[in-house]
């Protein structure tokens, strides 16, 4: 798809549409032509102190983003055999972030969508005839594919003149496809679609049959309001630096507020059990 639309965009007839393409340099270089090492000693002390607050917020963001990604990957539904290594993952992330900061390079993130799609790509699935849903039988667990993928990503620095011809809408469409594909099997979205279905047509273990329509819709409605709140918050560019704090607010709502109205059995039925 990317190759096809890139070639189409290079045709003279397509030029009249002025489709925007990726903005990248012709050769690998750092922003502003600066040196490879960041001049940390040249930064005034008062600026270092002012940077402490956003640094704490970024640390919280890295922590939550990493933990969200690895918990989704290590979900029991994926039937992984390897043990979890949350602390080791954070140590590795901290070391990598420190090195990247010294050289002024972009920081890493958990890459939740890419990580989950990688798990799906390595999975063998089957159709459960009782629930009529696709279930994972096993996942081929290997580090080789991860190394190959990121080696290919690193090699793109040698293709910068070609990358700058890729239309931005095509890249956005690819990410939209990946995100939509990841939504399959999401309990939150499933509850929204089930809300418009007749209860007798739903399986017995559906939350609408276990908890009733009212209780299920209340919980789903709270999730929708939280999602809309996050979306609205991100639209205000002047306060987006405090986004990690909003994630903390959502965690507090789930950990302290909702348990006052829903039991652990309710959370299990809703497909949102409390992590242990």
């Amino acid at each position: 798809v990317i190759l096809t639309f890139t070639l189409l965009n290079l045709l003279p007839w397509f030029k009249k549409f002025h489709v925007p393409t990726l903005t990248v340099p012709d050769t690998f270089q750092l922003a502003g032509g600066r040196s490879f090492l960041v001049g940390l000693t040249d930064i005034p002390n008062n600026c270092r102190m002012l940077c402490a607050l956003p640094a704490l917020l970024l640390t919280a963001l890295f922590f939550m983003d990493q933990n969200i990604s690895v918990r989704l990957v290590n979900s029991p539904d994926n039937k992984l055999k390897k043990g979890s290594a949350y602390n080791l993952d954070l140590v590795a992330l901290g070391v990598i972030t420190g090195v990247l900061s010294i050289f002024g390079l972009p920081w890493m993130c958990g890459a939740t969508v890419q990580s989950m799609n990688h798990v799906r790509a390595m999975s063998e699935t089957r159709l459960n005839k009782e629930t009529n849903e696709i279930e994972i039988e096993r996942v081929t667990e290997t580090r080789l594919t991860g190394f190959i993928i990121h080696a290919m990503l690193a090699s793109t620095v040698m293709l910068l003149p070609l990358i700058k011809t890729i239309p931005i809408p095509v890249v956005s469409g690819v990410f939209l496809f990946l995100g939509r594909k990841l939504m399959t099997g999401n309990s939150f979205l499933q509850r929204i679609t089930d809300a418009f279905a007749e209860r007798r047509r739903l399986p017995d273990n559906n939350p609408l049959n276990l908890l009733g329509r009212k209780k299920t819709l209340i919980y789903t409605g709270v999730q929708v309001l939280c999602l809309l709140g996050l979306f609205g918050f991100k639209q205000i560019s002047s306060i987006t630096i405090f986004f990690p704090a909003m994630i903390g607010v959502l965690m507090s709502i789930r950990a302290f507020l909702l348990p006052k109205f829903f039991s652990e059995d309710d959370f299990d039925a809703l497909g949102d059990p409390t992590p242990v």
Side-chain angles (χ1 to χ4, degrees):
V1 175
I2 295 177
L3 180 60
T4 301
F5 281 96
T6 299
L7 293 176
L8 285 175
N9 194 46
L10 294 176
L11 296 176
W13 184 79
F14 255 74
K15 295 292 184 181
K16 63 181 181 181
F17 295 107
H18 303 289
V19 179
T21 57
L22 294 175
T23 303
V24 295
D26 293 325
T27 58
F28 179 75
Q29 56 182 285
L30 300 178
R34 62 173 177 81
S35 60
F36 201 60
L37 286 173
V38 177
L40 297 176
T41 56
D42 300 331
I43 303 174
N45 290 330
N46 57 344
C47 289
R48 298 182 188 182
M49 297 297 294
L50 290 173
C51 290
L53 176 59
L56 287 173
L57 294 174
L58 283 171
T59 301
L61 178 62
F62 289 158
F63 176 82
M64 289 184 287
D65 183 75
Q66 173 69 15
N67 275 279
I68 290 172
S69 298
V70 296
R71 284 190 176 276
L72 287 174
V73 169
N74 291 323
S75 169
D77 294 336
N78 295 330
K79 301 178 181 178
L80 299 180
K81 295 182 179 180
K82 72 173 185 64
S84 59
Y86 299 114
N87 293 334
L88 183 59
D89 289 341
L90 281 176
V91 170
L93 178 64
V95 172
I96 294 172
T97 302
V99 173
L100 294 175
S101 300
I102 293 174
F103 294 105
L105 298 175
W107 291 309
M108 289 183 60
C109 66
T112 306
V113 174
Q114 295 93 318
S115 300
M116 285 303 300
N117 274 292
H118 182 233
V119 173
R120 295 282 176 87
M122 302 298 291
S123 302
E124 295 180 14
T125 59
R126 66 178 177 86
L127 177 65
N128 188 322
K129 295 182 179 179
E130 295 181 359
T131 62
N132 200 31
E133 294 180 354
I134 300 296
E135 294 183 353
I136 293 177
E137 281 194 323
R138 62 182 295 270
V139 177
T140 302
E141 302 177 45
T142 174
R143 293 184 176 90
L144 182 61
T145 52
F147 281 119
I148 293 175
I149 290 170
H150 288 86
M152 293 177 68
L153 289 174
S155 67
T156 57
V157 297
M158 297 182 290
L159 304 173
L160 292 177
L162 297 177
I163 291 176
K164 68 188 305 182
T165 63
I166 299 177
I168 293 178
V170 173
V171 178
S172 302
V174 170
F175 280 107
L176 180 62
F177 169 76
L178 292 175
R180 175 62 187 88
K181 186 179 179 182
L182 192 61
M183 291 179 184
T184 304
N186 184 283
S187 60
F188 168 59
L189 296 175
Q190 188 63 48
R191 276 185 270 112
I192 292 178
T193 56
D194 288 347
F196 300 96
E198 297 181 28
R199 289 176 58 177
R200 62 186 178 86
R201 296 183 179 273
L202 299 173
D204 294 336
N205 62 350
N206 189 279
L208 287 171
N209 289 326
L210 294 175
L211 305 179
R213 187 176 296 274
K214 181 180 179 180
K215 200 167 192 177
T216 302
L217 291 181
I218 289 175
Y219 185 81
T220 306
V222 172
Q223 289 184 305
V224 171
L225 290 176
C226 291
L227 181 61
L228 292 176
L230 277 181
F231 180 79
F233 188 87
K234 289 202 67 176
Q235 303 311 304
I236 308 174
S237 57
S238 59
I239 60 174
T240 50
I241 192 174
F242 298 103
F243 185 76
M246 290 300 297
I247 299 295
V249 171
L250 295 184
M251 294 171 63
S252 299
I253 292 174
R254 173 60 180 83
F256 303 110
L257 180 60
L258 290 179
K260 296 181 181 295
F261 305 95
F262 299 90
S263 66
E264 189 58 39
D265 290 337
D266 293 339
F267 289 131
D268 288 336
L270 291 162
D272 187 21
T274 303
V276 293

